[in-house]
Amino acid sequence: MVESENKSSLPCSSTSLSNYFEKDHPDEEKWADCVHCGMCLEACPTYLETGQEQHSPRGRVHLIKSVAEGKLSLDEQLADPVFQCLDCRACTTACPADVDVGGLIEEARGQIREAMPLKGWRGAVSNFFLKGLFPHQNRMQTISGLLKFYQQSGVQKVIRQTGALKVMPSHLAGMESIMPEVKTSVQKKYKDIDVIPAKGTPKARVSMLTGCIMDVMFSDINESTINVLTHNDNEVVIPKSQTCCGALHVHAGDRDTGRKLAKQNIEAFKDSEKVIVNAAGCGCALKEYPELFKDNPEWKAKAEEFSGKVEDISKYLYDSGYEKPKSEIHKRITYHDACHLAHGQGVRHEPRQLLKDIPGVEYTELSNADTCCGSAGIYNLTNPEMAGAVLDRKMEHVPEDVEMISMGNPGCMLQMAMGVQKYGRRSEIVHTIQLLDWAYQKDKQANEKPATVKG
Ligand code: SF4
Ligand code: SF4
């Protein structure tokens, strides 16, 4: 059962006119600084696509404020623009007044779901994934096993050859076609190891968030993260009781489940000095845990202490020092800024520097590097048309001769892989840490003495 922080479902009492519920209502302080200047409009992918004010940051702020003033109800007029938002945070970067539009959007989504819960098959699917699957490591391991069977038993090949995927909606079939090879999760692989040792004399002990989807679909990136951390003399701990970060729950308006997961993670990492994350969306969600406990001083203090320990892997390596690889990787590489890394956490320079420090890399900058790719959590599944249009705009700026596109978020990796496939490109999609790991592996092989044959 999800614990309820505040049982009130009465309209918001902070202003007598408000049509919001009291619990978790959008924070007036967040919109107070908006001067309607419109400097955020050109940064907003959904505004660029539609040209409509209600699908712009300024329009959304105005609608959210209008409900608080009793001029608008919690209905479709608010729900559509609020759920069409990618929560990409590009508007906050563009806004001279630092208006936290993303935070307002998430609070408004919670209110909309309170007033208009998802019903029928939509509600069932949402509950299955958000409550029944992602928070449960054992169930995610089962899914991992099933996917591995699907890929390795030949079933996937048969399904693809028979064209059975054509009966699926095109965006789901597209997802299946770029599904990465599922490998053993690091949670499972290291389940009997308390501390993964550093390669040399340990300089720090860090803990790692393995993520729910990350550890099923991208466990090789988790493995690379461990390799790179230990290579740079960090001991690595993987707390067993950690869970899903709750980002998808908060994006969907389910703040109660988000809080429950946040509490579990805060407890799981309470003895950690650093919490290393390799998925931008998860890292941003962990850093924003204090927002979930605004009405609970005890947990707010715990959440603030916890979020201060959270660090993206690229920033941690850059700040704590890392060995520059010696082996060369001769590739033309570009970098896509995951929204929740660049706009959400302000991490831009560090991953680029990691790439540029690999000898042989020919780095090229994307002209729209920090524009959303349309992934946005599960937005590409819930809003496939808009996500596709946003992806098209992204791909228009990717040079054709780029051999690799690097990034720091698994959702973006899947979406950009769809873009590469759609546009018939040959670029490989990689996580920045995979490239660094690859360079270290090459160093290791170069240092290994060839086996000698005794005569
Ligand atoms: S959100 Fe910021 S940039 Fe956009 S209209 Fe308001 S003040 Fe201007
Ligand atoms: S978060 Fe992104 S999609 Fe939403 S209003 Fe801001 S710029 Fe537009």
Side-chain angles (χ1 to χ4, degrees):
M1 281 288 288
V2 172
E3 184 182 331
S4 183
E5 298 283 325
N6 176 350
K7 299 252 178 348
S8 169
S9 59
L10 295 171
C12 174
S13 55
S14 59
T15 76
S16 56
L17 296 172
S18 176
N19 283 326
Y20 285 126
F21 299 101
E22 173 70 37
K23 181 181 162 189
D24 287 328
H25 64 84
D27 190 349
E28 191 178 337
E29 279 182 20
K30 287 200 178 93
W31 69 69
D33 291 333
C34 178
V35 290
H36 318 293
C37 65
M39 289 180 72
C40 51
L41 300 188
E42 292 301 313
C44 176
T46 56
Y47 176 74
L48 291 178
E49 209 46 53
T50 63
Q52 295 172 1
E53 179 73 11
Q54 80 262 28
H55 291 301
S56 76
R58 181 175 64 186
R60 289 176 173 123
V61 170
H62 175 73
L63 290 172
I64 290 168
K65 187 178 165 196
S66 296
V67 179
E69 292 169 345
K71 296 175 186 162
L72 198 69
S73 302
L74 274 172
D75 59 19
E76 278 304 325
Q77 214 184 326
L78 179 74
D80 183 45
V82 161
F83 277 96
Q84 287 265 354
C85 170
L86 293 145
D87 198 9
C88 69
R89 319 286 175 97
C91 45
T92 300
T93 299
C95 174
D98 276 340
V99 173
D100 179 10
V101 183
L104 277 172
I105 292 285
E106 288 181 349
E107 287 165 347
R109 285 180 178 177
Q111 295 282 316
I112 292 163
R113 282 294 156 255
E114 186 75 25
M116 298 188 286
L118 283 178
K119 293 199 176 123
W121 68 269
R122 285 175 193 273
V125 169
S126 169
N127 275 338
F128 171 74
F129 283 104
L130 295 183
K131 291 185 179 167
L133 193 58
F134 297 153
H136 305 281
Q137 253 187 54
N138 53 346
R139 294 179 198 169
M140 291 301 287
Q141 298 286 354
T142 306
I143 293 291
S144 169
L146 290 172
L147 286 173
K148 250 200 273 185
F149 174 78
Y150 172 71
Q151 290 180 333
Q152 292 170 9
S153 65
V155 176
Q156 183 181 46
K157 208 170 161 191
V158 171
I159 285 190
R160 286 180 177 180
Q161 279 171 352
T162 56
L165 291 171
K166 286 187 185 142
V167 298
M168 288 169 82
S170 59
H171 61 288
L172 293 181
M175 278 285 173
E176 196 282 342
S177 68
I178 46 100
M179 191 164 63
E181 188 189 342
V182 176
K183 303 205 176 119
T184 305
S185 81
V186 300
Q187 280 281 357
K188 194 172 175 185
K189 183 173 174 187
Y190 296 100
K191 71 179 180 355
D192 299 324
I193 299 176
D194 291 332
V195 181
I196 305 168
K199 191 182 96 180
T201 308
K203 68 176 181 189
R205 179 175 289 185
V206 299
S207 298
M208 182 176 150
L209 182 95
T210 53
C212 56
I213 300 171
M214 191 78 177
D215 211 28
V216 168
M217 305 287 279
F218 294 99
S219 61
D220 48 348
I221 298 173
N222 278 347
E223 191 72 56
S224 286
T225 305
I226 294 167
N227 291 345
V228 169
L229 284 168
T230 53
H231 184 92
N232 285 292
D233 298 334
N234 295 280
E235 295 176 324
V236 179
V237 175
I238 301 177
K240 310 279 183 287
S241 55
Q242 65 177 291
T243 186
C244 163
C245 66
L248 295 178
H249 306 78
V250 177
H251 293 331
D254 183 359
R255 294 176 80 84
D256 278 335
T257 307
R259 264 188 285 273
K260 185 187 171 205
L261 298 174
K263 284 182 173 178
Q264 189 173 331
N265 279 327
I266 291 168
E267 282 298 313
F269 288 94
K270 69 173 186 296
D271 297 325
S272 310
E273 283 183 24
K274 277 276 174 223
V275 181
I276 305 298
V277 189
N278 56 17
C282 305
C284 196
L286 298 186
K287 279 182 176 285
E288 291 177 354
Y289 276 175
E291 280 284 311
L292 294 172
F293 297 105
K294 283 190 296 195
D295 302 326
N296 185 331
E298 184 198 341
W299 276 95
K300 188 168 185 239
K302 288 185 186 185
E304 277 168 353
E305 190 195 335
F306 169 81
S307 66
K309 300 190 284 194
V310 175
E311 205 85 271
D312 180 75
I313 177 69
S314 62
K315 179 156 170 49
Y316 175 71
L317 289 171
Y318 185 87
D319 290 348
S320 65
Y322 61 98
E323 184 187 309
K324 292 182 184 172
K326 292 163 203 73
S327 299
E328 295 182 348
I329 292 181
H330 286 282
K331 294 279 180 191
R332 186 156 192 236
I333 299 177
T334 192
Y335 178 76
H336 157 70
D337 285 287
C339 297
H340 285 88
L341 200 51
H343 302 299
Q345 299 179 57
V347 176
R348 294 168 182 266
H349 172 69
E350 297 86 345
R352 286 176 168 80
Q353 195 56 50
L354 295 188
L355 292 172
K356 289 174 186 172
D357 278 343
I358 300 173
V361 163
E362 189 190 334
Y363 182 81
T364 183
E365 186 68 26
L366 273 186
S367 58
N368 65 346
D370 69 351
T371 302
C372 185
C373 62
S375 164
I378 52 168
Y379 186 96
N380 50 0
L381 298 177
T382 56
N383 300 54
E385 279 182 23
M386 180 63 82
V390 171
L391 177 61
D392 287 343
R393 276 181 190 268
K394 183 85 201 182
M395 289 305 298
E396 278 169 20
H397 294 261
V398 179
E400 288 197 18
D401 59 348
V402 154
E403 294 169 281
M404 287 183 156
I405 310 173
S406 170
M407 59 206 77
N409 193 49
C412 302
M413 290 179 73
L414 290 173
Q415 182 76 348
M416 291 298 283
M418 297 250 285
V420 164
Q421 188 184 66
K422 185 172 171 186
Y423 281 77
R425 301 287 179 80
R426 290 172 183 266
S427 321
E428 286 179 68
I429 305 297
V430 286
H431 193 290
T432 310
I433 288 307
Q434 283 178 301
L435 275 172
L436 194 55
D437 183 30
W438 184 21
Y440 286 152
Q441 300 298 336
K442 284 184 91 175
D443 284 352
K444 200 172 144 198
Q445 283 157 14
N447 289 336
E448 274 167 9
K449 287 192 186 128
T452 53
V453 181
K454 286 184 183 165

